[in-house]
Amino acid sequence: RKEVEQDPGPFNVPEGATVAFNCTYSNSASQSFFWYRQDCRKEPKLLMSVYSSGNEDGRFTAQLNRASQYISLLIRDSKLSDSATYLCVSRRGGFKTIFGAGTRLFVKA
Amino acid sequence: DAGVTQSPTHLIKTRGQQVTLRCSPISGHKSVSWYQQVLGQGPQFIFQYYEKEERGRGNFPDRFSARQFPNYSSELNVNALLLGDSALYLCASSLDDYYGYTFGSGTRLTVV
């Protein structure tokens, strides 16, 4: 079993839609969590950190449920430019940063 | 400000050869991590260095080695290349353990 698991998708949504991605992690020692975005053949870019109380950055909302060991990302009012692969990340021991395989999102006009 | 820089951007090597990849972190970042990414998968953790010391390594064979220099730049070495080593090699730097990483644009290694 992979330490960080994501639904690979793809998710195909129209512009303006709301879409949610879930991610589960298996190591209860995981301390920090992040979402990254990766465009085709580019490097991953940090989208947002995920805090225990949940946090929002514009159209993006991240939630953490430690009891169930899952993280979610909600994207509201999807734009064409949101089309990318979204990587869920957990970190433990201060340095062991584990990436999920990613969820592909296609936003259609 | 310069971001994370990696060199070379592309590389073609023959099986059995050795390769050295280079990374310069963002100024002030003391942590450098190396990842391998193959098509369709997320980045796989290879090494992390902090203040020139190895803090951890992932499940990679001993053919993979790395080091960090006094200026915090880093090199990843891979010996006895196999076809399966073909991948995008990403370097990431961060200020400390609590921040997310900033990645370089990677080195695309092809082993033939």
Side-chain angles (χ1 to χ4, degrees):
Chain A
R1 182 186 176 187
K2 293 183 178 178
E3 188 165 337
V4 177
E5 296 211 67
Q6 299 181 246
D7 180 344
F11 285 64
N12 292 286
V13 303
E15 271 187 296
T18 295
V19 61
F21 307 138
N22 288 329
C23 163
T24 58
Y25 61 96
S26 60
N27 197 315
S28 58
S30 297
Q31 300 159 309
S32 308
F33 305 91
F34 307 89
W35 282 101
Y36 281 74
R37 169 203 169 116
Q38 187 170 27
D39 293 296
C40 188
R41 300 184 71 80
K42 298 284 190 182
E43 73 275 18
K45 293 189 176 176
L46 180 64
L47 183 64
M48 59 197 304
S49 302
V50 185
Y51 302 122
S52 297
S53 54
N55 49 299
E56 189 174 303
D57 183 1
R59 298 182 293 108
F60 300 84
T61 300
Q63 296 279 352
L64 167 63
N65 185 318
R66 287 190 185 271
S68 302
Q69 295 187 192
Y70 82 78
I71 307 140
S72 64
L73 177 68
L74 184 78
I75 305 175
R76 290 182 300 278
D77 189 22
S78 298
K79 313 290 185 191
L80 294 175
S81 57
D82 293 333
S83 297
T85 296
Y86 290 84
L87 299 164
C88 173
V89 180
S90 74
R91 179 179 292 168
R92 55 181 169 86
F95 67 91
K96 189 96 183 268
T97 302
I98 307 298
F99 285 73
T103 299
R104 295 180 71 188
L105 172 66
F106 294 101
V107 182
K108 306 168 294 183
Chain B
D1 278 345
V4 178
T5 57
Q6 291 186 243
S7 63
T9 54
H10 295 82
L11 204 52
I12 299 175
K13 289 285 190 178
T14 304
R15 275 179 298 175
Q17 285 189 313
Q18 175 265 339
V19 68
T20 297
L21 311 181
R22 295 177 175 82
C23 172
S24 292
I26 290 173
S27 178
H29 285 194
K30 300 177 181 179
S31 167
V32 170
S33 299
W34 287 95
Y35 284 81
Q36 181 196 66
Q37 187 175 28
V38 299
L39 201 61
Q41 295 183 24
Q44 300 296 307
F45 173 67
I46 309 176
F47 285 108
Q48 199 216 31
Y49 279 79
Y50 184 80
E51 285 278 18
K52 293 155 282 184
E53 298 214 351
E54 181 185 307
R55 296 184 72 204
R57 65 180 298 156
N59 295 326
F60 281 81
D62 291 343
R63 299 185 295 108
F64 288 76
S65 63
R67 55 181 175 167
Q68 188 177 31
F69 298 100
N71 66 353
Y72 303 111
S73 67
S74 178
E75 285 183 352
L76 175 70
N77 295 287
V78 187
N79 293 323
L81 284 166
L82 303 174
L83 295 179
D85 295 331
S86 296
L88 178 66
Y89 288 85
L90 293 160
C91 173
S93 76
S94 66
L95 205 52
D96 61 27
D97 292 342
Y98 300 101
Y99 291 89
Y101 291 161
T102 300
F103 281 89
S105 55
T107 294
R108 195 164 297 278
L109 173 65
T110 302
V111 182
V112 297

